[in-house]
Amino acid sequence: MEELNIPAVLERLKPYGLGPIERVLAAHTGTVQLLLSLYFGSPVDVTLVEQAEEMGEIRRRVSLVVRRTGQEACFARSAIPLSANSKEVLADVREGVLGIGQIAVKHHIPTERRIREVNVSQSQISRKYIMQGPGLYYVVTEVFPRELYR
């Protein structure tokens, strides 16, 4: 669900001095793979880097790579609690082929994303959010290298 308090979002980002696309990356609540594909004018592929199941959750790291250039546009770390996700969602997560946003779309799960944290340094922008819907719950941290977006 989209953030409705637009002035509050803009105010929250103001101290960082972000450029237009950087503001979009920090606060966008839709599927990041599509957003990045539109920005780069090329499909962005999700590649599973590592995945482990332990202590009641699946932890994964993926790289989002611009197909045309091979550049990493973003990397993401996710924590996926076993008890909060349907068996169909977990089966797709374990298979490791789809990004987590793609899994929600595949299963027609309406989702809400709530950004919990935004961090900005000279070299990167990161955001942590919760993505949830019926039978789906993820905690996601996405990290964007600023040099690609200035």
Side-chain angles (χ1 to χ4, degrees), residues 76-135:
R77 293 181 304 271
S78 304
I80 303 150
L82 300 176
S83 63
N85 288 279
S86 72
K87 64 181 182 204
E88 294 82 13
V89 166
L90 291 173
D92 281 336
V93 170
R94 287 179 177 122
E95 186 177 16
V97 174
L98 298 174
I100 58 173
Q102 293 170 320
I103 293 170
V105 171
K106 174 185 174 184
H107 294 286
H108 308 285
I109 299 172
T111 60
E112 177 183 353
R113 294 176 175 107
R114 292 185 319 275
I115 296 175
R116 294 294 185 215
E117 188 178 304
V118 173
N119 294 295
V120 178
S121 72
Q122 283 293 96
S123 62
Q124 64 187 28
I125 299 169
S126 69
R127 64 186 192 156
K128 181 178 185 176
Y129 63 92
I130 294 171
M131 179 178 173
Q132 69 183 78

Side-chain angles (χ1 to χ4, degrees), residues 20-67:
I21 190 63
E22 291 178 315
R23 284 191 302 274
V24 171
L25 294 172
H28 176 71
T29 56
T31 305
V32 75
Q33 184 180 14
L34 175 59
L35 176 71
L36 293 174
S37 295
L38 293 170
Y39 177 74
F40 287 105
S42 172
V44 170
D45 299 312
V46 177
T47 303
L48 182 64
V49 175
E50 62 184 333
Q51 183 165 288
E53 195 168 321
E54 57 191 17
M55 296 173 43
E57 68 183 13
I58 298 171
R59 292 194 171 268
R60 74 182 334 202
R61 179 184 158 120
V62 299
S63 178
L64 284 83
V65 177
V66 181
R67 190 179 298 169

